[in-house]
Amino acid sequence: MAAEFAHLLCPLCGTPLTKDGASLYCLGERRHCYDIAAAGYVNLLPPGKKNNAKAGDDKEMLRCRSRFLSGGWYDPISKTAARLGREAAGDKEIFFTDAGCGEGYHTCQIAHRLQKIGHPCSGIGVDAAKSGAAAGAKLAKNMGLTNVQFIAGNIFAIPLQDQSTDIIYSIFAPIPREEAMRILKRDGALIVASAGREHLWEMRCLLYGQPRVGEGVKMPAGFTVAHKETLSYQIHLPDQNTLSCLFTMTPFYYRCPIEGRQRLLASDCLTVKVEVDFTVLTL
Ligand SMILES: C[S@@+](CC[C@H](N)C(=O)[O-])C[C@H]1O[C@@H](n2cnc3c(N)ncnc32)[C@H](O)[C@@H]1O
């Protein structure tokens, strides 16, 4: 298993970071230092960049996503992601990066599932939202996982060493094409989980009346599609609270018409289709 906070780079000077006590120090002349926060994550967002704050999801979205995911509604997604990672890696030990990990739910589930079947693995969750990285570290601690760490960082300038990662996961997150190419080992895989054409269809019907079928996410150029599959199942959301948590964690929360929002908030329960496209990409 990789050491704690392995393969990281200093976001200021790009030299490797090593752990010493409760801090990470870079090997550069200035010995930049990053403290491990009490919550257990490290903030490697490039200091002073105004866009840092804008890149991540807001606190309300993160809070709702945490509450919704902890209900287990999306566990088949983590399960599929873990299986595809194992299939792509074969017998090799896996070091994975979850790029845009939110509050680390899938990161921890993937690490837990691989560990449970005895596949040696370690991983790192990266998100621009500090509260996401903090929540991930807390969840890992609660689940007793020592093989997964969290950093606040920008996935478009990801502070990880070249060719350090066996599997990159991009789960409902922006895909950092160039950085993925840089950090992925030559025999590694980028696994993208994105909304399928009819993902959350019944919710979209409530919000938009007659929604359009989704177009799917465009895969990044320069990779080869090694495998594709679609995960599809139904969930019954039993109360308004669960329903509005799911709504708040989707992009529809910001852009649906006001009447649609009212219809959704007036519903007590809903049966919804979950449809997720998984694409395994290799170099
Ligand atoms: C829709 S959420 C998905 C979170 C998680 N993968 C999941 O499925 O629960 C997308 C995540 O990408 C993160 N994100 C967006 N842009 C980012 C960037 N430039 N660097 C790091 N994280 C970013 C957001 O903060 C958010 O947590």
PDB file of all heavy atoms in Angstrom, residues 194-231:
ATOM      1  N   SER A 194     -20.782   9.096 -15.878  1.00  0.00           N
ATOM      2  CA  SER A 194     -21.517  10.325 -16.233  1.00  0.00           C
ATOM      3  C   SER A 194     -22.998  10.016 -16.396  1.00  0.00           C
ATOM      4  O   SER A 194     -23.381   8.848 -16.555  1.00  0.00           O
ATOM      5  CB  SER A 194     -20.939  10.906 -17.530  1.00  0.00           C
ATOM      6  OG  SER A 194     -20.957   9.926 -18.546  1.00  0.00           O
ATOM      7  N   ALA A 195     -23.813  11.075 -16.351  1.00  0.00           N
ATOM      8  CA  ALA A 195     -25.262  10.889 -16.431  1.00  0.00           C
ATOM      9  C   ALA A 195     -25.650  10.268 -17.767  1.00  0.00           C
ATOM     10  O   ALA A 195     -25.234  10.734 -18.831  1.00  0.00           O
ATOM     11  CB  ALA A 195     -25.939  12.243 -16.269  1.00  0.00           C
ATOM     12  N   GLY A 196     -26.435   9.196 -17.704  1.00  0.00           N
ATOM     13  CA  GLY A 196     -26.945   8.555 -18.920  1.00  0.00           C
ATOM     14  C   GLY A 196     -28.104   9.362 -19.502  1.00  0.00           C
ATOM     15  O   GLY A 196     -28.566  10.347 -18.908  1.00  0.00           O
ATOM     16  N   ARG A 197     -28.592   8.912 -20.644  1.00  0.00           N
ATOM     17  CA  ARG A 197     -29.603   9.698 -21.383  1.00  0.00           C
ATOM     18  C   ARG A 197     -30.873   9.932 -20.570  1.00  0.00           C
ATOM     19  O   ARG A 197     -31.514  10.962 -20.676  1.00  0.00           O
ATOM     20  CB  ARG A 197     -29.953   8.957 -22.684  1.00  0.00           C
ATOM     21  CG  ARG A 197     -28.839   9.033 -23.719  1.00  0.00           C
ATOM     22  CD  ARG A 197     -28.994   7.950 -24.782  1.00  0.00           C
ATOM     23  NE  ARG A 197     -30.222   8.064 -25.546  1.00  0.00           N
ATOM     24  CZ  ARG A 197     -30.381   8.876 -26.598  1.00  0.00           C
ATOM     25  NH1 ARG A 197     -29.391   9.616 -27.002  1.00  0.00           N
ATOM     26  NH2 ARG A 197     -31.526   8.926 -27.253  1.00  0.00           N
ATOM     27  N   GLU A 198     -31.250   8.948 -19.759  1.00  0.00           N
ATOM     28  CA  GLU A 198     -32.511   9.109 -19.004  1.00  0.00           C
ATOM     29  C   GLU A 198     -32.249   9.161 -17.500  1.00  0.00           C
ATOM     30  O   GLU A 198     -33.114   8.789 -16.700  1.00  0.00           O
ATOM     31  CB  GLU A 198     -33.466   7.969 -19.354  1.00  0.00           C
ATOM     32  CG  GLU A 198     -33.899   8.039 -20.799  1.00  0.00           C
ATOM     33  CD  GLU A 198     -35.048   7.114 -21.145  1.00  0.00           C
ATOM     34  OE1 GLU A 198     -35.450   6.301 -20.288  1.00  0.00           O
ATOM     35  OE2 GLU A 198     -35.541   7.215 -22.272  1.00  0.00           O
ATOM     36  N   HIS A 199     -31.087   9.637 -17.121  1.00  0.00           N
ATOM     37  CA  HIS A 199     -30.754   9.730 -15.689  1.00  0.00           C
ATOM     38  C   HIS A 199     -31.759  10.660 -14.988  1.00  0.00           C
ATOM     39  O   HIS A 199     -32.029  11.760 -15.460  1.00  0.00           O
ATOM     40  CB  HIS A 199     -29.328  10.274 -15.553  1.00  0.00           C
ATOM     41  CG  HIS A 199     -28.816  10.297 -14.144  1.00  0.00           C
ATOM     42  ND1 HIS A 199     -28.892   9.209 -13.296  1.00  0.00           N
ATOM     43  CD2 HIS A 199     -28.210  11.276 -13.428  1.00  0.00           C
ATOM     44  CE1 HIS A 199     -28.357   9.517 -12.130  1.00  0.00           C
ATOM     45  NE2 HIS A 199     -27.939  10.768 -12.182  1.00  0.00           N
ATOM     46  N   LEU A 200     -32.324  10.207 -13.911  1.00  0.00           N
ATOM     47  CA  LEU A 200     -33.291  10.958 -13.097  1.00  0.00           C
ATOM     48  C   LEU A 200     -34.489  11.438 -13.933  1.00  0.00           C
ATOM     49  O   LEU A 200     -34.979  12.554 -13.750  1.00  0.00           O
ATOM     50  CB  LEU A 200     -32.591  12.141 -12.392  1.00  0.00           C
ATOM     51  CG  LEU A 200     -31.357  11.784 -11.563  1.00  0.00           C
ATOM     52  CD1 LEU A 200     -30.771  13.019 -10.898  1.00  0.00           C
ATOM     53  CD2 LEU A 200     -31.673  10.726 -10.496  1.00  0.00           C
ATOM     54  N   TRP A 201     -34.932  10.591 -14.829  1.00  0.00           N
ATOM     55  CA  TRP A 201     -35.946  10.979 -15.807  1.00  0.00           C
ATOM     56  C   TRP A 201     -37.224  11.526 -15.139  1.00  0.00           C
ATOM     57  O   TRP A 201     -37.725  12.592 -15.512  1.00  0.00           O
ATOM     58  CB  TRP A 201     -36.279   9.777 -16.716  1.00  0.00           C
ATOM     59  CG  TRP A 201     -37.259  10.125 -17.778  1.00  0.00           C
ATOM     60  CD1 TRP A 201     -38.569   9.779 -17.847  1.00  0.00           C
ATOM     61  CD2 TRP A 201     -36.987  10.953 -18.916  1.00  0.00           C
ATOM     62  NE1 TRP A 201     -39.142  10.323 -18.956  1.00  0.00           N
ATOM     63  CE2 TRP A 201     -38.197  11.042 -19.635  1.00  0.00           C
ATOM     64  CE3 TRP A 201     -35.865  11.622 -19.395  1.00  0.00           C
ATOM     65  CZ2 TRP A 201     -38.302  11.776 -20.815  1.00  0.00           C
ATOM     66  CZ3 TRP A 201     -35.973  12.350 -20.568  1.00  0.00           C
ATOM     67  CH2 TRP A 201     -37.178  12.430 -21.257  1.00  0.00           C
ATOM     68  N   GLU A 202     -37.742  10.818 -14.153  1.00  0.00           N
ATOM     69  CA  GLU A 202     -39.019  11.234 -13.549  1.00  0.00           C
ATOM     70  C   GLU A 202     -38.861  12.577 -12.841  1.00  0.00           C
ATOM     71  O   GLU A 202     -39.785  13.388 -12.826  1.00  0.00           O
ATOM     72  CB  GLU A 202     -39.541  10.161 -12.583  1.00  0.00           C
ATOM     73  CG  GLU A 202     -39.912   8.833 -13.243  1.00  0.00           C
ATOM     74  CD  GLU A 202     -38.715   7.941 -13.598  1.00  0.00           C
ATOM     75  OE1 GLU A 202     -37.563   8.327 -13.301  1.00  0.00           O
ATOM     76  OE2 GLU A 202     -38.940   6.869 -14.175  1.00  0.00           O
ATOM     77  N   MET A 203     -37.697  12.817 -12.276  1.00  0.00           N
ATOM     78  CA  MET A 203     -37.464  14.121 -11.639  1.00  0.00           C
ATOM     79  C   MET A 203     -37.418  15.221 -12.708  1.00  0.00           C
ATOM     80  O   MET A 203     -37.992  16.297 -12.543  1.00  0.00           O
ATOM     81  CB  MET A 203     -36.142  14.107 -10.853  1.00  0.00           C
ATOM     82  CG  MET A 203     -35.783  15.469 -10.306  1.00  0.00           C
ATOM     83  SD  MET A 203     -34.229  15.476  -9.404  1.00  0.00           S
ATOM     84  CE  MET A 203     -34.780  14.907  -7.844  1.00  0.00           C
ATOM     85  N   ARG A 204     -36.782  14.919 -13.823  1.00  0.00           N
ATOM     86  CA  ARG A 204     -36.708  15.905 -14.907  1.00  0.00           C
ATOM     87  C   ARG A 204     -38.103  16.176 -15.480  1.00  0.00           C
ATOM     88  O   ARG A 204     -38.411  17.309 -15.863  1.00  0.00           O
ATOM     89  CB  ARG A 204     -35.744  15.413 -15.990  1.00  0.00           C
ATOM     90  CG  ARG A 204     -34.296  15.620 -15.575  1.00  0.00           C
ATOM     91  CD  ARG A 204     -33.342  14.664 -16.238  1.00  0.00           C
ATOM     92  NE  ARG A 204     -33.333  14.738 -17.680  1.00  0.00           N
ATOM     93  CZ  ARG A 204     -32.766  13.833 -18.475  1.00  0.00           C
ATOM     94  NH1 ARG A 204     -32.155  12.800 -17.943  1.00  0.00           N
ATOM     95  NH2 ARG A 204     -32.799  13.967 -19.766  1.00  0.00           N
ATOM     96  N   CYS A 205     -38.981  15.133 -15.524  1.00  0.00           N
ATOM     97  CA  CYS A 205     -40.356  15.339 -16.004  1.00  0.00           C
ATOM     98  C   CYS A 205     -41.088  16.304 -15.084  1.00  0.00           C
ATOM     99  O   CYS A 205     -41.812  17.198 -15.531  1.00  0.00           O
ATOM    100  CB  CYS A 205     -41.118  14.012 -16.069  1.00  0.00           C
ATOM    101  SG  CYS A 205     -40.577  12.970 -17.413  1.00  0.00           S
ATOM    102  N   LEU A 206     -40.885  16.125 -13.766  1.00  0.00           N
ATOM    103  CA  LEU A 206     -41.530  17.038 -12.809  1.00  0.00           C
ATOM    104  C   LEU A 206     -41.031  18.469 -12.999  1.00  0.00           C
ATOM    105  O   LEU A 206     -41.793  19.430 -12.952  1.00  0.00           O
ATOM    106  CB  LEU A 206     -41.175  16.616 -11.379  1.00  0.00           C
ATOM    107  CG  LEU A 206     -42.127  15.789 -10.562  1.00  0.00           C
ATOM    108  CD1 LEU A 206     -41.574  15.628  -9.151  1.00  0.00           C
ATOM    109  CD2 LEU A 206     -43.507  16.431 -10.481  1.00  0.00           C
ATOM    110  N   LEU A 207     -39.739  18.591 -13.225  1.00  0.00           N
ATOM    111  CA  LEU A 207     -39.126  19.927 -13.283  1.00  0.00           C
ATOM    112  C   LEU A 207     -39.407  20.634 -14.599  1.00  0.00           C
ATOM    113  O   LEU A 207     -39.609  21.858 -14.639  1.00  0.00           O
ATOM    114  CB  LEU A 207     -37.603  19.827 -13.086  1.00  0.00           C
ATOM    115  CG  LEU A 207     -37.133  19.326 -11.721  1.00  0.00           C
ATOM    116  CD1 LEU A 207     -35.626  19.111 -11.720  1.00  0.00           C
ATOM    117  CD2 LEU A 207     -37.511  20.334 -10.633  1.00  0.00           C
ATOM    118  N   TYR A 208     -39.396  19.859 -15.701  1.00  0.00           N
ATOM    119  CA  TYR A 208     -39.453  20.506 -17.022  1.00  0.00           C
ATOM    120  C   TYR A 208     -40.712  20.163 -17.823  1.00  0.00           C
ATOM    121  O   TYR A 208     -40.847  20.645 -18.947  1.00  0.00           O
ATOM    122  CB  TYR A 208     -38.234  20.097 -17.853  1.00  0.00           C
ATOM    123  CG  TYR A 208     -36.934  20.610 -17.278  1.00  0.00           C
ATOM    124  CD1 TYR A 208     -36.098  19.778 -16.540  1.00  0.00           C
ATOM    125  CD2 TYR A 208     -36.539  21.930 -17.459  1.00  0.00           C
ATOM    126  CE1 TYR A 208     -34.916  20.242 -16.006  1.00  0.00           C
ATOM    127  CE2 TYR A 208     -35.350  22.404 -16.936  1.00  0.00           C
ATOM    128  CZ  TYR A 208     -34.539  21.555 -16.207  1.00  0.00           C
ATOM    129  OH  TYR A 208     -33.363  22.026 -15.678  1.00  0.00           O
ATOM    130  N   GLY A 209     -41.597  19.309 -17.301  1.00  0.00           N
ATOM    131  CA  GLY A 209     -42.759  18.899 -18.093  1.00  0.00           C
ATOM    132  C   GLY A 209     -42.335  17.876 -19.130  1.00  0.00           C
ATOM    133  O   GLY A 209     -42.498  16.688 -18.933  1.00  0.00           O
ATOM    134  N   GLN A 210     -41.766  18.363 -20.233  1.00  0.00           N
ATOM    135  CA  GLN A 210     -41.294  17.436 -21.278  1.00  0.00           C
ATOM    136  C   GLN A 210     -39.793  17.626 -21.469  1.00  0.00           C
ATOM    137  O   GLN A 210     -39.363  18.383 -22.342  1.00  0.00           O
ATOM    138  CB  GLN A 210     -42.012  17.726 -22.586  1.00  0.00           C
ATOM    139  CG  GLN A 210     -43.455  17.252 -22.563  1.00  0.00           C
ATOM    140  CD  GLN A 210     -44.079  17.329 -23.936  1.00  0.00           C
ATOM    141  OE1 GLN A 210     -43.882  18.301 -24.665  1.00  0.00           O
ATOM    142  NE2 GLN A 210     -44.844  16.317 -24.277  1.00  0.00           N
ATOM    143  N   PRO A 211     -39.005  16.928 -20.663  1.00  0.00           N
ATOM    144  CA  PRO A 211     -37.552  17.137 -20.764  1.00  0.00           C
ATOM    145  C   PRO A 211     -36.981  16.513 -22.038  1.00  0.00           C
ATOM    146  O   PRO A 211     -37.601  15.629 -22.626  1.00  0.00           O
ATOM    147  CB  PRO A 211     -37.017  16.409 -19.533  1.00  0.00           C
ATOM    148  CG  PRO A 211     -38.027  15.371 -19.228  1.00  0.00           C
ATOM    149  CD  PRO A 211     -39.356  15.890 -19.688  1.00  0.00           C
ATOM    150  N   ARG A 212     -35.805  17.006 -22.399  1.00  0.00           N
ATOM    151  CA  ARG A 212     -35.100  16.392 -23.532  1.00  0.00           C
ATOM    152  C   ARG A 212     -34.261  15.222 -23.029  1.00  0.00           C
ATOM    153  O   ARG A 212     -33.739  15.275 -21.904  1.00  0.00           O
ATOM    154  CB  ARG A 212     -34.163  17.415 -24.157  1.00  0.00           C
ATOM    155  CG  ARG A 212     -34.860  18.274 -25.196  1.00  0.00           C
ATOM    156  CD  ARG A 212     -33.835  19.089 -25.900  1.00  0.00           C
ATOM    157  NE  ARG A 212     -32.968  19.723 -24.907  1.00  0.00           N
ATOM    158  CZ  ARG A 212     -32.381  20.886 -25.051  1.00  0.00           C
ATOM    159  NH1 ARG A 212     -32.535  21.555 -26.143  1.00  0.00           N
ATOM    160  NH2 ARG A 212     -31.616  21.396 -24.119  1.00  0.00           N
ATOM    161  N   VAL A 213     -34.146  14.206 -23.873  1.00  0.00           N
ATOM    162  CA  VAL A 213     -33.257  13.087 -23.523  1.00  0.00           C
ATOM    163  C   VAL A 213     -31.827  13.627 -23.508  1.00  0.00           C
ATOM    164  O   VAL A 213     -31.450  14.427 -24.370  1.00  0.00           O
ATOM    165  CB  VAL A 213     -33.414  11.959 -24.577  1.00  0.00           C
ATOM    166  CG1 VAL A 213     -32.361  10.884 -24.388  1.00  0.00           C
ATOM    167  CG2 VAL A 213     -34.803  11.344 -24.479  1.00  0.00           C
ATOM    168  N   GLY A 214     -31.035  13.252 -22.498  1.00  0.00           N
ATOM    169  CA  GLY A 214     -29.665  13.774 -22.384  1.00  0.00           C
ATOM    170  C   GLY A 214     -28.779  13.347 -23.547  1.00  0.00           C
ATOM    171  O   GLY A 214     -29.054  12.345 -24.208  1.00  0.00           O
ATOM    172  N   GLU A 215     -27.727  14.118 -23.780  1.00  0.00           N
ATOM    173  CA  GLU A 215     -26.847  13.802 -24.925  1.00  0.00           C
ATOM    174  C   GLU A 215     -25.626  12.994 -24.515  1.00  0.00           C
ATOM    175  O   GLU A 215     -24.867  12.529 -25.351  1.00  0.00           O
ATOM    176  CB  GLU A 215     -26.380  15.103 -25.591  1.00  0.00           C
ATOM    177  CG  GLU A 215     -27.505  15.750 -26.372  1.00  0.00           C
ATOM    178  CD  GLU A 215     -27.157  17.137 -26.832  1.00  0.00           C
ATOM    179  OE1 GLU A 215     -26.007  17.575 -26.655  1.00  0.00           O
ATOM    180  OE2 GLU A 215     -28.077  17.788 -27.356  1.00  0.00           O
ATOM    181  N   GLY A 216     -25.433  12.863 -23.235  1.00  0.00           N
ATOM    182  CA  GLY A 216     -24.245  12.140 -22.762  1.00  0.00           C
ATOM    183  C   GLY A 216     -23.037  13.064 -22.763  1.00  0.00           C
ATOM    184  O   GLY A 216     -23.026  14.095 -23.448  1.00  0.00           O
ATOM    185  N   VAL A 217     -22.030  12.669 -22.005  1.00  0.00           N
ATOM    186  CA  VAL A 217     -20.829  13.510 -21.854  1.00  0.00           C
ATOM    187  C   VAL A 217     -19.808  13.134 -22.932  1.00  0.00           C
ATOM    188  O   VAL A 217     -19.613  11.961 -23.231  1.00  0.00           O
ATOM    189  CB  VAL A 217     -20.233  13.291 -20.438  1.00  0.00           C
ATOM    190  CG1 VAL A 217     -18.853  13.899 -20.298  1.00  0.00           C
ATOM    191  CG2 VAL A 217     -21.183  13.855 -19.382  1.00  0.00           C
ATOM    192  N   LYS A 218     -19.183  14.159 -23.523  1.00  0.00           N
ATOM    193  CA  LYS A 218     -18.170  13.905 -24.558  1.00  0.00           C
ATOM    194  C   LYS A 218     -16.882  13.417 -23.881  1.00  0.00           C
ATOM    195  O   LYS A 218     -16.425  14.021 -22.911  1.00  0.00           O
ATOM    196  CB  LYS A 218     -17.899  15.235 -25.275  1.00  0.00           C
ATOM    197  CG  LYS A 218     -17.351  15.053 -26.637  1.00  0.00           C
ATOM    198  CD  LYS A 218     -17.418  16.356 -27.418  1.00  0.00           C
ATOM    199  CE  LYS A 218     -16.489  16.226 -28.595  1.00  0.00           C
ATOM    200  NZ  LYS A 218     -15.460  17.199 -28.661  1.00  0.00           N
ATOM    201  N   MET A 219     -16.355  12.323 -24.382  1.00  0.00           N
ATOM    202  CA  MET A 219     -15.124  11.787 -23.785  1.00  0.00           C
ATOM    203  C   MET A 219     -13.906  12.562 -24.287  1.00  0.00           C
ATOM    204  O   MET A 219     -13.909  13.041 -25.418  1.00  0.00           O
ATOM    205  CB  MET A 219     -14.983  10.299 -24.104  1.00  0.00           C
ATOM    206  CG  MET A 219     -15.998   9.435 -23.386  1.00  0.00           C
ATOM    207  SD  MET A 219     -15.916   9.671 -21.595  1.00  0.00           S
ATOM    208  CE  MET A 219     -17.635   9.942 -21.204  1.00  0.00           C
ATOM    209  N   PRO A 220     -12.882  12.684 -23.444  1.00  0.00           N
ATOM    210  CA  PRO A 220     -11.725  13.496 -23.832  1.00  0.00           C
ATOM    211  C   PRO A 220     -10.934  12.892 -24.994  1.00  0.00           C
ATOM    212  O   PRO A 220     -10.770  11.676 -25.060  1.00  0.00           O
ATOM    213  CB  PRO A 220     -10.879  13.517 -22.549  1.00  0.00           C
ATOM    214  CG  PRO A 220     -11.317  12.327 -21.776  1.00  0.00           C
ATOM    215  CD  PRO A 220     -12.747  12.075 -22.116  1.00  0.00           C
ATOM    216  N   ALA A 221     -10.472  13.752 -25.878  1.00  0.00           N
ATOM    217  CA  ALA A 221      -9.667  13.295 -27.016  1.00  0.00           C
ATOM    218  C   ALA A 221      -8.332  12.754 -26.510  1.00  0.00           C
ATOM    219  O   ALA A 221      -7.871  13.115 -25.427  1.00  0.00           O
ATOM    220  CB  ALA A 221      -9.424  14.471 -27.952  1.00  0.00           C
ATOM    221  N   GLY A 222      -7.729  11.878 -27.298  1.00  0.00           N
ATOM    222  CA  GLY A 222      -6.391  11.377 -26.954  1.00  0.00           C
ATOM    223  C   GLY A 222      -6.436  10.074 -26.179  1.00  0.00           C
ATOM    224  O   GLY A 222      -5.402   9.454 -25.938  1.00  0.00           O
ATOM    225  N   PHE A 223      -7.619   9.651 -25.762  1.00  0.00           N
ATOM    226  CA  PHE A 223      -7.763   8.370 -25.066  1.00  0.00           C
ATOM    227  C   PHE A 223      -8.478   7.380 -25.995  1.00  0.00           C
ATOM    228  O   PHE A 223      -9.188   7.778 -26.905  1.00  0.00           O
ATOM    229  CB  PHE A 223      -8.621   8.529 -23.798  1.00  0.00           C
ATOM    230  CG  PHE A 223      -7.931   9.235 -22.670  1.00  0.00           C
ATOM    231  CD1 PHE A 223      -7.982  10.614 -22.559  1.00  0.00           C
ATOM    232  CD2 PHE A 223      -7.232   8.517 -21.705  1.00  0.00           C
ATOM    233  CE1 PHE A 223      -7.350  11.270 -21.515  1.00  0.00           C
ATOM    234  CE2 PHE A 223      -6.606   9.154 -20.660  1.00  0.00           C
ATOM    235  CZ  PHE A 223      -6.663  10.532 -20.554  1.00  0.00           C
ATOM    236  N   THR A 224      -8.317   6.102 -25.686  1.00  0.00           N
ATOM    237  CA  THR A 224      -9.028   5.054 -26.432  1.00  0.00           C
ATOM    238  C   THR A 224     -10.113   4.489 -25.524  1.00  0.00           C
ATOM    239  O   THR A 224      -9.844   4.225 -24.344  1.00  0.00           O
ATOM    240  CB  THR A 224      -8.041   3.910 -26.786  1.00  0.00           C
ATOM    241  OG1 THR A 224      -6.973   4.496 -27.520  1.00  0.00           O
ATOM    242  CG2 THR A 224      -8.700   2.826 -27.613  1.00  0.00           C
ATOM    243  N   VAL A 225     -11.299   4.334 -26.076  1.00  0.00           N
ATOM    244  CA  VAL A 225     -12.374   3.732 -25.277  1.00  0.00           C
ATOM    245  C   VAL A 225     -12.141   2.219 -25.219  1.00  0.00           C
ATOM    246  O   VAL A 225     -12.208   1.530 -26.229  1.00  0.00           O
ATOM    247  CB  VAL A 225     -13.766   4.034 -25.883  1.00  0.00           C
ATOM    248  CG1 VAL A 225     -14.861   3.313 -25.095  1.00  0.00           C
ATOM    249  CG2 VAL A 225     -14.028   5.536 -25.906  1.00  0.00           C
ATOM    250  N   ALA A 226     -11.842   1.729 -24.010  1.00  0.00           N
ATOM    251  CA  ALA A 226     -11.550   0.296 -23.861  1.00  0.00           C
ATOM    252  C   ALA A 226     -12.813  -0.478 -23.506  1.00  0.00           C
ATOM    253  O   ALA A 226     -12.911  -1.681 -23.780  1.00  0.00           O
ATOM    254  CB  ALA A 226     -10.496   0.093 -22.773  1.00  0.00           C
ATOM    255  N   HIS A 227     -13.768   0.198 -22.891  1.00  0.00           N
ATOM    256  CA  HIS A 227     -14.974  -0.509 -22.428  1.00  0.00           C
ATOM    257  C   HIS A 227     -16.055   0.530 -22.107  1.00  0.00           C
ATOM    258  O   HIS A 227     -15.759   1.632 -21.651  1.00  0.00           O
ATOM    259  CB  HIS A 227     -14.633  -1.303 -21.163  1.00  0.00           C
ATOM    260  CG  HIS A 227     -15.811  -1.971 -20.531  1.00  0.00           C
ATOM    261  ND1 HIS A 227     -16.376  -3.109 -21.045  1.00  0.00           N
ATOM    262  CD2 HIS A 227     -16.552  -1.652 -19.423  1.00  0.00           C
ATOM    263  CE1 HIS A 227     -17.406  -3.470 -20.287  1.00  0.00           C
ATOM    264  NE2 HIS A 227     -17.533  -2.606 -19.295  1.00  0.00           N
ATOM    265  N   LYS A 228     -17.310   0.130 -22.367  1.00  0.00           N
ATOM    266  CA  LYS A 228     -18.434   1.014 -22.016  1.00  0.00           C
ATOM    267  C   LYS A 228     -19.549   0.164 -21.437  1.00  0.00           C
ATOM    268  O   LYS A 228     -19.781  -0.951 -21.932  1.00  0.00           O
ATOM    269  CB  LYS A 228     -18.998   1.667 -23.281  1.00  0.00           C
ATOM    270  CG  LYS A 228     -18.373   2.981 -23.655  1.00  0.00           C
ATOM    271  CD  LYS A 228     -18.999   3.517 -24.913  1.00  0.00           C
ATOM    272  CE  LYS A 228     -20.050   4.519 -24.496  1.00  0.00           C
ATOM    273  NZ  LYS A 228     -20.140   5.655 -25.377  1.00  0.00           N
ATOM    274  N   GLU A 229     -20.210   0.660 -20.426  1.00  0.00           N
ATOM    275  CA  GLU A 229     -21.420  -0.022 -19.967  1.00  0.00           C
ATOM    276  C   GLU A 229     -22.333   0.983 -19.288  1.00  0.00           C
ATOM    277  O   GLU A 229     -21.882   2.047 -18.847  1.00  0.00           O
ATOM    278  CB  GLU A 229     -21.093  -1.210 -19.035  1.00  0.00           C
ATOM    279  CG  GLU A 229     -20.477  -0.841 -17.703  1.00  0.00           C
ATOM    280  CD  GLU A 229     -20.145  -2.093 -16.872  1.00  0.00           C
ATOM    281  OE1 GLU A 229     -19.303  -2.907 -17.307  1.00  0.00           O
ATOM    282  OE2 GLU A 229     -20.750  -2.247 -15.771  1.00  0.00           O
ATOM    283  N   THR A 230     -23.618   0.638 -19.254  1.00  0.00           N
ATOM    284  CA  THR A 230     -24.577   1.548 -18.618  1.00  0.00           C
ATOM    285  C   THR A 230     -25.204   0.843 -17.426  1.00  0.00           C
ATOM    286  O   THR A 230     -25.636  -0.308 -17.536  1.00  0.00           O
ATOM    287  CB  THR A 230     -25.660   1.976 -19.634  1.00  0.00           C
ATOM    288  OG1 THR A 230     -25.008   2.687 -20.684  1.00  0.00           O
ATOM    289  CG2 THR A 230     -26.699   2.884 -19.000  1.00  0.00           C
ATOM    290  N   LEU A 231     -25.208   1.551 -16.319  1.00  0.00           N
ATOM    291  CA  LEU A 231     -25.848   1.032 -15.104  1.00  0.00           C
ATOM    292  C   LEU A 231     -27.227   1.679 -15.025  1.00  0.00           C
ATOM    293  O   LEU A 231     -27.343   2.907 -15.133  1.00  0.00           O
ATOM    294  CB  LEU A 231     -25.001   1.441 -13.891  1.00  0.00           C
ATOM    295  CG  LEU A 231     -25.605   1.229 -12.511  1.00  0.00           C
ATOM    296  CD1 LEU A 231     -25.654  -0.260 -12.170  1.00  0.00           C
ATOM    297  CD2 LEU A 231     -24.782   1.973 -11.451  1.00  0.00           C
TER     298      LEU A 231
END
